[in-house]
Amino acid sequence: LPTGLALGVWPRAAPLAQLWLPSIDSRAFGEVSLAEGALWSAKLWRVDSEDDKPILELKHIDAKDKTHTAEVTAVAFSPDGKLLFTGDGKGYGHLWRLEIAADGKASASYVLRLKGHTRGQRIVSARFHPNGKRVLTASTDNSVAQWDVSTGKEQKSLLLKHDDSLTAMDVATDGTRTLVLTSCADLT
């Protein structure tokens, strides 16, 4: 993690040694970090505090399109820190609008659901495009999908297909080009 950032996840019923934490996005603005966790939730932490409690938990609201009905397996901050993405083990993604008040209290409002990966195939990684207009998601359905964050529509012409399940992904730019780095279960 970059200097000054920390991450903690404390599931209710499992010892820390048994925790599976496949995705962290610590490239946040300022002093918060986002991590997914068990029980269909993602937690937002203030890293400049000695308090061991998250400042916000994004969790299951209802089973009708609003948030996750499976474990959260991927998280990402938009470049400006105003949007959060959470993806789950069933292949669904969700966008949230984040607000952090001057007193440090955080709130998030649900924006929309991203639906397009093969149902039941885990989203393993997510990153926002550097311009903040798209979010990219890597899945065990052998693809990296790209989504318009203003509409939630998948940009099917930008789909990156692979021969096997994806295990990780990252996005980088040099200011003129944007590159996507992926790894797959077939060791490529």
Side-chain angles (χ1 to χ4, degrees):
L1 296 172
T3 303
L5 294 178
L7 176 70
V9 176
W10 290 268
R12 296 186 221 300
L16 191 56
Q18 295 177 1
L19 179 64
W20 178 64
L21 185 65
S23 181
I24 303 167
D25 192 347
S26 61
R27 293 181 284 181
F29 61 99
E31 304 137 342
V32 294
S33 187
L34 179 68
E36 83 281 357
L39 306 174
W40 307 328
S41 69
K43 296 178 181 181
L44 186 68
W45 305 86
R46 179 164 296 286
V47 298
D48 62 350
S49 170
E50 293 181 16
D51 189 359
D52 66 352
K53 294 183 178 32
I55 61 171
L56 180 66
E57 184 172 4
L58 305 171
K59 58 184 175 181
H60 184 73
I61 298 168
D62 66 48
K64 191 172 181 173
D65 288 347
K66 288 198 175 176
T67 198
H68 302 285
T69 58
E71 73 277 12
V72 176
T73 56
V75 294
F77 282 99
S78 64
D80 64 5
K82 293 181 180 177
L83 287 176
L84 305 175
F85 170 86
T86 57
D88 69 28
K90 288 187 178 179
Y92 295 113
H94 300 274
L95 288 174
W96 308 80
R97 186 162 320 283
L98 175 65
E99 293 184 31
I100 300 180
D103 65 2
K105 293 187 179 176
S107 64
S109 55
Y110 185 79
V111 178
L112 53 85
R113 183 180 204 186
L114 308 176
K115 186 176 176 184
H117 281 294
T118 303
R119 184 174 169 91
Q121 296 295 314
R122 175 184 306 276
I123 295 175
V124 297
S125 185
R127 292 288 180 256
F128 278 83
H129 187 281
N131 68 15
K133 294 180 180 179
R134 292 194 311 259
V135 65
L136 289 79
T137 56
S139 171
T140 57
D141 72 358
N142 305 3
S143 71
V144 173
Q146 298 187 51
W147 312 85
D148 182 313
V149 299
S150 63
T151 65
K153 300 288 182 197
E154 183 181 359
Q155 306 297 296
K156 292 190 183 275
S157 65
L158 301 175
L159 185 71
L160 306 173
K161 290 297 287 177
H162 292 72
D163 292 333
D164 207 341
S165 296
L166 279 105
T167 56
M169 172 197 64
D170 205 356
V171 177
T173 185
D174 65 3
T176 34
R177 296 172 297 200
T178 300
L179 301 174
V180 178
L181 178 65
T182 60
S183 65
C184 293
D186 66 2
L187 306 179
T188 61

